[in-house]
Amino acid sequence: MLCDFEPELIISDFESFSYLFAKMRRLPIISIDNMQIINRAKLNVTVPKSERGNYNMAQSIVRAKLPRSRQYFVTTFFDLPLSKENTTLVPPIIRPEILAAPPTKGRHVLVYQSATNQQNLVPLLQQLPDQEFRVYGFNKEEDHGNVQLRAFSEAGFIADLASARAVVTNGGFSLISEAVFLHKPICAIPIPAQFEQWLNAAQVEQMGYGRHFEAITADNLRAFLYGLPGFETALASYQQQGNEALFARLDAELALLSANASPTPRPSKAKSSVVPSFPMPH
């Protein structure tokens, strides 16, 4: 029965209910998510004036989420110096379907955009008739010459992602992380006023994995596609052994908690750490 459930630890992925439950029960909390990088690391990119308000707001929101957790595992495809204690950078969590999808290099470019975000997308892509685009986001099956609209299918999307020559998307962490894992060059156009998306897109360009633009235009896409060889070279240095680094660190944290046999959080003087085996490219 539910009343017999007596947890000893709460793991939260940026979710408040479990955090409040842990606080009420005086239980230790481990945070696992990508958002905490906004609050617990020092940025290595210049935030433009137009994004500073979004940055400050995002930092305030993230800071208020899961404060004083026992440990923060921050999932990320890029490396940043840490600014807070009890923090460990780990590679992104990759779902089993992506781990099982061997990457190949096809002729098409995978495009993921919502219909409300880019209404003129099809005629825009048709301005590059020598390129093949497979577009997700409109949830319809239509053939427009070099542009094929695809209805959503998880299996179909993963197959098209694994075999794409490049990816055009917004700044969402999940798809960018999967593209990086599969070594697919990325053209990132973040949703406006979403600082976390802006940061992901800026890091794509900073790491040499692709380009960061404010909007999709034919000229921007041409510039991105022209640079594919260089992006592929940069991505080749990214290596990630599935989710092993995160699981290893989580197992170590659980073992330490069990050995201490106490729900009391560690002193605030505990050192932050970066996973030694995290193969961040230079």
Side-chain angles (χ1 to χ4, degrees):
M1 296 179 61
L2 182 62
C3 60
D4 296 327
F5 178 56
E6 292 293 340
E8 301 173 46
L9 168 74
I10 299 297
I11 298 176
S12 175
D13 61 344
F14 208 67
E15 190 273 323
S16 296
F17 179 80
S18 57
Y19 173 81
L20 294 174
F21 176 85
K23 286 300 181 182
M24 291 175 59
R25 296 294 189 93
R26 300 176 65 90
L27 296 172
I29 305 163
I30 293 178
S31 167
I32 304 178
D33 66 74
N34 63 291
M35 295 293 291
Q36 287 290 344
I37 202 163
I38 296 174
N39 178 49
R40 309 189 72 82
K42 298 177 182 178
L43 302 188
N44 62 352
V45 292
T46 301
V47 179
K49 186 176 181 179
S50 60
E51 288 293 333
R52 290 174 192 167
N54 296 328
Y55 175 38
N56 293 334
M57 179 179 295
Q59 197 172 45
S60 297
I61 293 171
V62 174
R63 187 183 296 119
K65 279 274 193 176
L66 282 71
R68 297 179 297 280
S69 294
R70 174 185 174 90
Q71 178 63 257
Y72 297 85
F73 292 114
V74 183
T75 54
T76 176
F77 63 90
F78 53 90
D79 192 12
L80 291 180
L82 297 172
S83 60
K84 300 287 181 68
E85 297 166 334
N86 301 337
T87 306
T88 302
L89 300 184
V90 294
I93 299 172
I94 304 299
R95 51 186 167 144
E97 295 83 358
I98 297 296
L99 293 175
T104 58
K105 186 177 178 181
R107 298 186 59 226
H108 67 275
V109 176
L110 176 72
V111 181
Y112 178 75
Q113 292 287 304
S114 66
T116 56
N117 193 31
Q118 191 81 34
Q119 292 284 1
N120 65 335
L121 186 59
V122 171
L124 187 154
L125 296 177
Q126 288 176 325
Q127 295 181 44
L128 288 79
D130 56 333
Q131 304 291 334
E132 177 186 344
F133 298 97
R134 298 181 186 176
V135 181
Y136 287 83
F138 293 86
N139 199 27
K140 60 177 69 173
E141 291 280 344
E142 293 182 3
D143 189 336
H144 297 271
N146 68 315
V147 182
Q148 286 85 47
L149 302 186
R150 303 276 185 157
F152 180 75
S153 159
E154 183 175 14
F157 182 83
I158 291 173
D160 282 342
L161 173 60
S163 59
R165 63 191 293 246
V167 174
V168 178
T169 182
N170 54 38
F173 180 77
S174 295
L175 181 51
I176 288 180
S177 295
E178 292 175 351
V180 169
F181 178 77
L182 295 171
H183 293 177
K184 304 297 181 180
I186 303 153
C187 180
I189 302 92
I191 295 174
Q194 298 287 331
F195 182 78
E196 185 256 345
Q197 290 212 3
W198 181 91
L199 179 60
N200 293 333
Q203 288 294 335
V204 163
E205 186 154 312
Q206 174 85 358
M207 302 295 290
Y209 297 163
R211 294 296 303 271
H212 167 201
F213 296 113
E214 293 184 0
I216 300 178
T217 68
D219 286 343
N220 286 346
L221 287 175
R222 289 189 187 96
F224 165 64
L225 294 169
Y226 180 80
L228 288 187
F231 306 146
E232 291 168 350
T233 298
L235 283 160
S237 65
Y238 183 90
Q239 301 296 322
Q240 178 180 340
Q241 300 303 313
N243 301 311
E244 294 177 9
L246 170 59
F247 292 157
R249 292 306 298 247
L250 183 57
D251 285 344
E253 193 68 25
L254 295 178
L256 181 60
L257 180 64
S258 178
N260 291 340
S262 170
T264 304
R266 291 174 299 174
S268 61
K269 294 296 183 181
K271 294 181 178 179
S272 303
S273 58
V274 178
V275 177
S277 60
F278 191 1
M280 285 294 193
H282 298 290

